[in-house]
Amino acid sequence: MNATDPDEGINSEIEYSLGKTLKKKVYDIFDLDKLTGEIRIKGIVDYEENDVYKLDVEASDKGTPPLAGECRVVIKIIDVNDNPPEIEVTSLSNKVSEDSKPGTVISLLSVIDKDSGVNGKIISSITSDVPFELKPSYKENIYSVVTKGFLDREEVSHYEITIKATDCGEPPLSTFKTLNIQISDVNDNSPHFEQNPLQFYLTENNVAGASIFSVSATDKDVNDNAAISYHIVREGNQRNDVTSFLNVNSDNGQISALKSFDFETLKTFHFQVVATDSGTPSLSNNVTVNVFILDQNDNAPVILYPVSSNGSAEGVEEIPRNVNAGHLVTKVRAYDADIGYNGWLLFSLQEVTDHSLFGLDRYTGQIRTLRSFTETDEAEHKLVILVKDNGNVSLSATATVIVKVVEPKEAFAASDVKSSTKVDEEDNVTFYLMITLGSVSVLFLISIIVLIAMQCSKTTDYTSKYLQETNYDGTLCHSIQYRSGDKRYMLVGPRMSIGSTIVPGSHANTLVLPDRRRGSGERKDGTLIKPTGR
């Protein structure tokens, strides 16, 4: 400030001061030098608080009485870019359903900047890679956050949306705002089995009522949408349906059998298990379960031969005393219902009268002599054969063979008795066979005779038709046969001369005579009539 006073001396000395009516803040911000009149800033000037200050400055001299003059100083504050933008969320949905359509609004926000002009111009955007976007409103600096694609909670269940607001000042200032969005689940995933079909192996003779295996499914959804229950598909109300003996725990998929399975009667079966979630609406999936029953060594060998009349495994074999070493005495036959090693049978001599006399093939069960009999050998020998399988805990059965050593004549007599029995059986079969063949032969002969008789009957009738002619004078008949196309014709009549001619195209195969016999009679049935003039 600069003031002048035309007086001289002390009367021209001037002092400056601020008006007494100004606001207190003005005194805090501005300072006036009372001698020089310079106005200095001693506080903080903020354009956003006050952009114009009006100062009343008073200049007074030191005369008596002092004289004063007043002046108003208007100070305009120039804005600088000292305020970053501010983002205010006015509405927000923290949870968004995963089935929301593109364009669904999840939040509303406003952006402001206290600066003015270019410094207050704001550019807003979403910086994170998310399926959301900012859409400006018809009002300035008002935006909505909307979905720009489909959401899938099973892939991403939580999003952090970072919004950036930048002004256009120099240098530009920016502000960031983060929105946390949770994606809520809908029941859009059905239960899933890792493997389909499932293969299970179950050893036979399982404990009835105990759990034999389990099935498990997973669901990508959460809460009730992922709560899975299980049930078995029942195929009708058949009593023999294997699923009627199965039960599944609806909560954990544990499958138990209500009966014990037997490999010898059932080797494999399959069924279906359905897994259903608890969503609304509920979704389900099924799996095919193939069960293979494994064999246990639970069947002892059964002796097929020898078997006595009372059912015991005993037999008597008679052999001549003069047989040589290696003679086949008999063969023990056995059967095991198990398979594999459990059904592989081995034969051994558990008890024998003379170990040097008989030998047993451990694989085939054949009993053979090891040497020739001597006079000192006993006439009767008892052999006890042990038949056992190869299971982990082997099961066995025994057969007893009584070998009687007889003289050759007795052996042949016994063999003749057996042979005669077989011959009688064969004679009976031969007798019935001969009766059958004889019956067939007789029927065939009767058929031939009937056919011949029918043929002869036809021939007689045909001939008599042409011999009952009233004008026939006893001349020896003559017959001619010929073919026309696929038909065969025969003419019967008196002997004709060489000049006679047969015309195949005439009516009923009529014999036509030359002109010199024009007076002769003619019949259309092929019979010649004796001429009258000769």
Side-chain angles (χ1 to χ4, degrees), residues 471-473 475 494 519-521 528-534:
N471 295 326
Y472 180 42
D473 59 354
T475 306
S520 303
L528 296 181
I529 301 176
K530 180 181 177 182
T532 56
R534 294 181 184 179

Side-chain angles (χ1 to χ4, degrees), residues 204 262-267 295-296 298-299 337-339:
E204 65 173 331
D262 184 12
F263 173 82
E264 285 70 38
T265 57
L266 180 65
K267 293 179 173 57
D295 184 41
Q296 272 189 336
D298 58 344
N299 291 278
D338 297 319
I339 64 170

Side-chain angles (χ1 to χ4, degrees), residues 444-455:
F444 178 73
L445 291 175
I446 292 174
S447 300
I448 295 298
I449 293 172
V450 170
L451 290 174
I452 293 174
M454 292 175 64
Q455 187 66 28

Side-chain angles (χ1 to χ4, degrees), residues 195-432:
Q195 184 180 354
N196 192 358
L198 295 174
Q199 313 288 343
F200 289 105
Y201 297 88
L202 174 64
T203 304
E204 65 173 331
N205 303 319
N206 55 290
V207 179
S211 176
I212 52 178
F213 46 78
S214 65
V215 296
S216 179
T218 58
D219 197 312
K220 293 181 180 180
D221 297 320
V222 294
N223 301 327
D224 289 342
N225 296 333
I228 299 174
S229 61
Y230 303 88
H231 72 272
I232 295 176
V233 178
R234 311 289 182 181
E235 297 179 355
N237 296 321
Q238 301 177 358
R239 292 183 179 179
N240 58 348
D241 185 7
V242 70
T243 58
S244 61
F245 300 101
L246 299 176
N247 186 37
V248 61
N249 188 311
S250 60
D251 296 328
N252 56 27
Q254 288 285 342
I255 297 176
S256 56
L258 304 181
K259 76 167 188 175
S260 179
F261 293 103
D262 184 12
F263 173 82
E264 285 70 38
T265 57
L266 180 65
K267 293 179 173 57
T268 181
F269 63 90
H270 67 274
F271 61 96
Q272 287 190 331
V273 177
V274 178
T276 306
D277 60 31
S278 301
T280 303
S282 62
L283 301 176
S284 63
N285 198 359
N286 57 9
V287 64
T288 299
V289 182
N290 295 318
V291 181
F292 300 92
I293 308 298
L294 300 180
D295 184 41
Q296 272 189 336
N297 192 24
D298 58 344
N299 291 278
V302 178
I303 304 299
L304 300 179
Y305 183 85
V307 178
S308 62
S309 58
N310 60 4
S312 61
E314 297 179 357
V316 178
E317 298 292 337
E318 294 184 352
I319 61 173
R321 183 177 290 274
N322 61 349
V323 296
N324 296 322
H327 176 75
L328 177 63
V329 178
T330 187
K331 180 179 180 180
V332 178
R333 296 180 177 87
Y335 166 76
D336 196 313
D338 297 319
I339 64 170
Y341 284 99
N342 296 331
W344 182 22
L345 301 181
L346 293 178
F347 301 84
S348 62
L349 282 173
Q350 187 178 29
E351 181 183 340
V352 61
T353 306
D354 189 347
H355 287 280
S356 66
L357 192 55
F358 298 100
L360 174 66
D361 190 304
R362 65 177 305 187
Y363 299 109
T364 64
Q366 292 182 349
I367 301 175
R368 295 182 181 271
T369 57
L370 298 177
R371 60 176 177 81
S372 302
F373 290 95
T374 63
E375 295 297 332
T376 59
D377 291 329
E378 296 181 2
E380 184 174 309
H381 299 269
K382 179 180 179 181
L383 285 73
V384 178
I385 294 91
L386 176 66
V387 184
K388 67 177 182 178
D389 55 34
N390 282 268
N392 290 331
V393 180
S394 62
L395 302 177
S396 61
T398 57
T400 302
V401 177
I402 305 299
V403 180
K404 292 184 177 181
V405 182
V406 298
E407 297 301 325
K409 294 182 179 180
E410 296 178 6
F412 291 148
S415 114
D416 290 341
V417 171
K418 294 180 180 179
S419 299
S420 63
T421 303
K422 292 182 180 179
V423 169
D424 291 340
E425 293 177 356
E426 293 177 356
D427 289 344
N428 291 335
V429 174
T430 304
F431 175 73
Y432 290 118

Side-chain angles (χ1 to χ4, degrees), residues 67-189:
L67 298 177
E70 292 182 354
C71 175
R72 172 163 286 189
V73 179
V74 178
I75 301 174
K76 292 184 178 180
I77 308 301
I78 299 173
D79 184 41
V80 295
N81 191 26
D82 60 342
N83 291 281
E86 296 179 2
I87 301 174
E88 181 182 1
V89 178
T90 58
S91 175
L92 175 64
S93 298
N94 291 326
K95 289 187 177 181
V96 180
S97 177
E98 65 175 323
D99 62 349
S100 299
K101 296 181 179 179
T104 301
V105 178
I106 66 169
S107 178
L108 295 176
L109 51 89
S110 62
V111 182
I112 59 175
D113 195 318
K114 293 180 180 180
D115 296 324
S116 62
V118 177
N119 297 330
K121 185 71 174 178
I122 303 172
I123 299 175
S124 301
S125 63
I126 294 178
T127 59
S128 53
D129 185 14
V130 292
F132 301 93
E133 62 181 350
L134 278 178
K135 279 194 173 182
S137 174
Y138 65 93
K139 292 183 179 181
E140 187 178 5
N141 293 334
I142 301 297
Y143 297 90
S144 59
V145 180
V146 300
T147 58
K148 67 176 181 180
F150 292 98
L151 306 176
D152 189 352
R153 190 209 63 82
E154 287 70 40
E155 292 185 0
V156 181
S157 61
H158 173 263
Y159 288 98
E160 290 185 351
I161 305 174
T162 302
I163 301 171
K164 179 182 179 182
T166 304
D167 61 29
C168 297
E170 188 63 37
L173 300 177
S174 299
T175 299
F176 295 89
K177 186 74 172 181
T178 300
L179 305 179
N180 291 313
I181 305 298
Q182 296 288 339
I183 307 301
S184 60
D185 184 48
V186 296
N187 192 27
D188 57 346
N189 290 278

